[in-house]
Amino acid sequence: MIIDGNKELKQKVRELLESAEDKSAAIYEAAEMIIEAKNDGLIKELVEENARAAADENYRKSLGLHTLSKEENEFYGKIKDGVYQAITAKQIDILPTSIIDRTMEDIKAKSDILTLVNFAPADVKHWLTGTHSGKAAWGNELTEAITGELSATIKGIDLEQHKLTVFMVIPKAIRELALPFVDKYFRAILAEAMQDGLVDGYLNGDGKTGPVGITKKLETFTSSGTAQAKTKIQTVKKFSPKGLVEVRKTLSNNGKRKVTELHLICNPLDEAEYVDPCLYGEALTGGYKDTSFMPIVKHVDANCPQGTGIFTLKGVYTMGISGVKFNEYSETKAMEDADLVIGKCYANGRADDDNCAVVFDVTKLEEYVLPVNQVTQPAAK
C-alpha cells in the first residue's frame, strides 16, 4: 500500500484520525489523501495532456482518446458539474454499459490472470454457459440424425445476483478537464478498484456472497447455496507426462475437451519455492530451460492461497457485470478537493463444469534434476 512507504503521508493520516471529533468524516478524508497520493502521477499526467491537447490538435490525435458516445458525454458532463449532482437517483446513477465494457477490456489488458476469463457483454442480465458433446450419424432418413445423440449441458448465470463494492475518489481537478480525459481517469481508477475483487471472485468465490470460483465445487453450490472447496490432489509432483496424467484427464472432462495447453495459477511465494524449481532445470549447454513436455503458462497472483496450485484452461469460465451503480456516501461531508463515492458492481461468474480446474498441493512439487547417464567402460584386456 502506498502509505507504507510514505512517512509524511502516514503521519498526516495518523494525526487526522487521532484529532478528529467526527471519526466518520475523518476516515473518508484520510481515504481521499491516500488515494490522491496514489493517483498523483496519473492526475498530473492527464492535466498536462489536457493543456497541451487544447493547443495542439495533432498532439491530441496522437493520444488516441476514445470518441465518447452521446450517453457517455451526458454521464461525464454531469460529473463535471459535481459528483453529488451526477451520481444520485435524481440524476445519472447507472454507468453506461459501453464504459463498463471498455473498463473490462482495460482490466484484461492489465490483469494476466483475467485473460483466462470470458466476459459477457455489460448490457446482458442473464448469460448462458455450458459444454456440449455428441457425434453425427449417417442415416437414410433425415430423422435418423437424432440417433447422433447430440447433447448439451447449459447453465444460466444471473449477472445481477451479487455485488462487488468499490470506493472511488474523484478529484475536482479531474472535473476541470475535457471529457475524454475525464473518461480516461474514471476508467483507470475503476479498473484498478475492480480488478483485485474480480480475480478473488474468479479464484475463491463461494457462490453465496460472490461468484463460484474455480477452486469450489459447482454441485455443492446448487444443493446448499454455498460452494464447498475442491479437494486438493496430492499426486502432482512433476511436470512430466506421467506426473500430469490426472490433471489432463480431469481437464479433458472425460475426453470431451482437447487439452493442448495448461494454465498454472499459484501464489508468488509458491512460485519461488516450488513451481520454478520444478518447471525449470539446468541445460547441458548452460543456463536453464523449461522442462515441461507441453506448454504450461504461469499466472502468479496473491489472491491464490499459499500452498495451493491450480491447473485450468483458457475460456472455460464466464464472468459478467450487468451494471455499475454509484452513490455518494451519505455520511461523507463535503471535501475541499475531491468527492468520495461508492460504486456497486452487479456481477456473477461460474465455470462451464467442475472439471475446468484442478486444485493441487503445490508443496508436493519436486525440484527438477538433470538426468545423468552412466557410461560403463569395458575392462582393458
Side-chain angles (χ1 to χ4, degrees):
M1 189 175 180
I2 189 171
I3 194 172
D4 293 332
N6 191 327
K7 293 182 179 180
E8 183 180 352
L9 176 61
K10 194 172 184 178
Q11 182 63 26
K12 287 182 178 179
V13 170
R14 182 184 292 112
E15 292 175 355
L16 172 65
L17 296 176
E18 289 177 350
S19 61
E21 294 182 4
D22 187 338
K23 295 296 183 183
S24 178
I27 289 173
Y28 287 96
E29 189 174 345
E32 170 204 348
M33 294 168 60
I34 294 170
I35 297 176
E36 281 203 351
K38 184 177 183 179
N39 295 318
D40 182 61
L42 175 60
I43 294 170
K44 288 181 178 178
E45 176 186 328
L46 292 176
V47 169
E48 292 173 0
E49 287 181 350
N50 180 82
R52 183 176 173 185
D56 187 341
E57 181 63 23
N58 290 330
Y59 172 73
R60 186 183 186 285
K61 290 179 180 179
S62 70
L63 295 175
L65 297 171
H66 176 70
T67 301
L68 302 180
S69 67
K70 178 181 178 182
E71 187 181 29
E72 293 167 348
N73 271 307
E74 289 177 354
F75 180 80
Y76 289 127
K78 298 281 186 177
I79 284 184
K80 286 176 70 68
D81 295 331
V83 173
Y84 179 75
Q85 295 179 18
I87 304 171
T88 68
K90 295 178 181 179
Q91 299 291 330
I92 295 178
D93 63 351
I94 301 296
L95 187 65
T97 56
S98 56
I99 297 177
I100 299 175
D101 284 334
R102 287 190 290 115
T103 300
M104 299 314 299
E105 291 174 6
D106 296 340
I107 291 175
K108 290 189 72 171
K110 293 181 180 179
S111 174
D112 170 67
I113 199 168
L114 290 178
T115 59
L116 302 176
V117 177
N118 293 326
F119 282 96
D123 58 351
V124 175
K125 291 180 172 56
H126 196 77
W127 192 255
L128 297 179
T129 181
T131 57
H132 63 84
S133 63
K135 58 185 179 181
W138 292 97
N140 295 325
E141 300 294 334
L142 184 63
T143 55
E144 291 183 22
I146 296 174
T147 61
E149 200 178 343
L150 298 174
S151 62
T153 303
I154 303 297
K155 301 292 183 182
I157 305 178
D158 182 0
L159 299 184
E160 292 189 308
Q161 184 171 349
H162 300 297
K163 296 178 183 178
L164 173 64
T165 302
V166 296
F167 293 85
M168 300 171 61
V169 169
I170 313 294
K172 289 183 170 62
I174 291 298
R175 300 207 311 260
E176 297 173 1
L177 306 181
L179 294 187
F181 291 98
V182 177
D183 171 65
K184 189 174 180 179
Y185 177 82
F186 193 91
R187 286 190 295 108
I189 61 171
L190 179 60
E192 183 178 39
M194 292 173 60
Q195 179 177 315
D196 198 58
L198 292 175
V199 171
D200 182 54
Y202 165 61
L203 296 179
N204 309 309
D206 64 4
K208 186 174 183 179
T209 58
V212 181
I214 58 174
T215 60
K216 301 296 193 294
K217 300 177 184 177
L218 286 169
E219 59 186 50
T220 59
F221 163 68
T222 56
S223 61
S224 68
T226 301
Q228 303 301 309
K230 292 180 178 178
T231 302
K232 287 185 186 179
I233 66 172
Q234 308 291 317
T235 56
V236 181
K237 299 180 179 179
K238 297 180 179 181
F239 297 143
S240 62
K242 270 293 184 183
L244 293 175
V245 166
E246 188 174 354
V247 172
R248 295 170 67 198
K249 287 176 67 176
T250 300
L251 293 178
S252 73
N253 198 24
N254 297 318
K256 299 172 186 176
R257 270 194 299 258
K258 187 175 182 180
V259 179
T260 58
E261 180 180 71
L262 298 176
H263 290 267
L264 170 59
I265 302 171
C266 64
N267 184 278
L269 293 176
D270 292 328
E271 178 197 29
E273 189 169 359
Y274 303 108
V275 175
D276 282 355
C278 182
L279 185 59
Y280 300 103
E282 290 187 78
L284 292 172
T285 55
Y288 285 81
K289 65 175 183 177
D290 185 332
T291 63
S292 62
F293 71 101
M294 67 182 298
I296 296 179
V297 183
K298 285 191 305 178
H299 304 271
V300 185
D301 196 281
N303 285 292
C304 183
Q306 189 177 352
T308 297
I310 307 166
F311 274 114
T312 188
L313 304 173
K314 187 174 184 178
V316 293
Y317 189 96
T318 301
M319 185 174 282
I321 296 177
S322 66
V324 180
K325 183 175 182 179
F326 289 98
N327 292 294
E328 184 186 45
Y329 189 67
S330 58
E331 296 181 14
T332 305
K333 293 184 177 180
M335 297 179 180
E336 182 179 349
D337 299 317
D339 293 289
L340 180 65
V341 296
I342 296 177
K344 293 185 182 297
C345 312
Y346 295 83
N348 206 349
R350 59 164 288 153
D352 288 350
D353 52 68
D354 270 333
N355 292 332
C356 287
V358 176
V359 182
F360 69 98
D361 187 342
V362 76
T363 67
K364 301 296 184 183
L365 291 177
E366 299 174 356
E367 182 178 4
Y368 176 82
V369 178
L370 186 67
V372 177
N373 296 321
Q374 184 175 354
V375 179
T376 303
Q377 296 289 344
K381 294 182 179 180

